Amino acid sequence: MRNVAMLLAVGLALALALVAGVSVRGMEAEEADLPGTTYEINRGSNGAIFVSNYSAGEIWHIAASGTYTVYEDVWGVRDAKPDAAGDIWFTDDTQSFGRVDVSSQTVSTWTLPEAQNLGGVAFDGEGHVWFSQWFGIDLYRFDPVSTQVCTYTLPMGSYSEYIVYDGAYLWVANWFQGRIYRVDGVNEQFVYWDIVGDGAWPLGLGVDAEGALWWADSGLDRLARLDPVTDVMTTYDPLEGTEPQMLTVRPEGVWYTEYTGGVGGTFGLLRPDQAAGVPTELSGTSPAPVPHECSTEGLGPGDVAAAVTRTGSLSWATEEYLPVVDENGWTVYQVPTGSAGDGPYGIADSGRFLWIGDRGREKLIRFATSAEYRIFMPVMLKP
């Protein structure tokens, strides 16, 4: 069986689990080489994903079949994701953002002179594109038709690496203050909740079917859920790993990635209905007007260039992952140690597959989900 080292590493845990009567679920996955620094992975249409390959200056559009189109010379790309028309929007980690027009195969870029470190991208229902700053005070809303930019200033700044727009609200997780904001872009109002616990660092975000916000708290080493109706935050402490990074919410639970201090990292599944969570009532604020200014004058000169692309198909190798933890609502898988030791970071659900970017080994991992989620029981060999 492949991955012998991994089997040896978890053999004792498996034996103990079997003796204790705990379910142990192996997983058959596929891995492909993806050189560079994989940051965000975002869902596209028809089972596709978009990968922000930061250090290589590339955006990868990968179909469910594994065929890909790479958009090159997009340096510093952070959070590339498609809008409703299929065009790809991205930030560059500094003052610029851009759009890949897929039909014309052109790349347009604009500059926000007042910005510092543009990070997250989100789309509202009115056709606007929102941008956050991971080390800056303002949020930005861009109108692609009029090129109008609205600048929103939250109390003490936004400081959010990622944002998510769901329904009528923009969710902002402020790592500098340890605070969750919800911005109503239509009524120009906001509310916020202070996270209980010193050193909170909310990173990856997701919204579940009940409209509650989930985040991976890499500062307090936990996953968290906020119900905005009851003001209750429920936290879940992973049974393995240290710093949760990114997450995606699916019907069976919350899949997430973790950094474990240079030993390969982990990814796992939290089943909230089976796991022990700790509820805490937060003090939510009343809606207040959010200060903002809108103008078409503050945007730096735009630039349009032909897209530089290459195409191909990923070559997959099958790997078997055995869990290091599979109990009490948690199933956690260890990835092999890579040269950089960064481990898995970006994660996205494309419907058919769950995709994970392993930065340490420069690998893209995928495995079938739901009915196609291939489970096997490990065979205990006799001496």
Side-chain angles (χ1 to χ4, degrees), residues 290-301:
V290 55
H292 65 283
E293 296 181 354
C294 298
S295 173
T296 57
E297 303 296 326
L299 194 63

Side-chain angles (χ1 to χ4, degrees), residues 331-364:
T331 303
V332 183
Y333 300 92
Q334 177 83 44
V335 301
T337 302
S339 57
D342 286 338
Y345 187 78
I347 184 170
D349 162 38
S350 69
R352 179 182 177 186
F353 292 108
L354 195 74
W355 306 73
I356 297 169
D358 186 348
R359 297 189 298 185
R361 295 184 301 141
E362 297 187 338
K363 297 283 189 181
L364 182 65

Side-chain angles (χ1 to χ4, degrees), residues 78-230:
R78 288 281 297 192
D79 195 22
K81 62 180 58 171
D83 62 15
D87 293 330
I88 311 165
W89 292 85
F90 60 91
T91 56
D92 76 344
D93 200 27
T94 57
Q95 297 176 311
S96 298
F97 65 92
R99 176 185 62 196
V100 178
D101 188 311
V102 176
S103 60
S104 66
Q105 288 294 285
T106 57
V107 181
S108 300
T109 56
W110 297 268
T111 302
L112 289 167
E114 301 301 319
Q116 296 184 58
N117 305 96
L118 292 175
V121 177
F123 309 103
D124 64 23
E126 306 299 318
H128 302 121
V129 189
W130 291 77
F131 305 106
S132 69
Q133 297 186 84
W134 63 268
F135 199 78
I137 63 173
D138 295 320
L139 292 167
Y140 301 97
R141 190 187 73 184
F142 178 62
D143 187 327
V145 178
S146 67
T147 69
Q148 181 189 69
V149 176
C150 293
T151 303
Y152 292 79
T153 303
L154 296 174
M156 297 177 65
S158 57
Y159 294 97
S160 185
E161 294 189 55
Y162 304 104
I163 50 179
V164 59
Y165 207 100
D166 183 78
Y169 301 112
L170 178 76
W171 290 96
V172 181
N174 184 305
W175 61 265
F176 185 75
Q177 297 171 276
R179 179 177 287 179
I180 300 297
Y181 286 95
R182 192 182 68 182
V183 179
D184 183 337
V186 175
N187 296 311
E188 313 291 2
Q189 295 180 328
F190 74 94
V191 297
Y192 70 81
W193 297 262
D194 285 315
I195 300 171
V196 173
D198 294 333
W201 193 295
L203 196 60
L205 307 176
V207 179
D208 63 23
E210 287 73 42
L213 180 73
W214 283 86
W215 67 91
D217 196 322
S218 63
L220 296 177
D221 305 336
R222 64 194 187 187
L223 303 182
R225 178 185 188 268
L226 172 65
D227 185 334
V229 177
T230 63

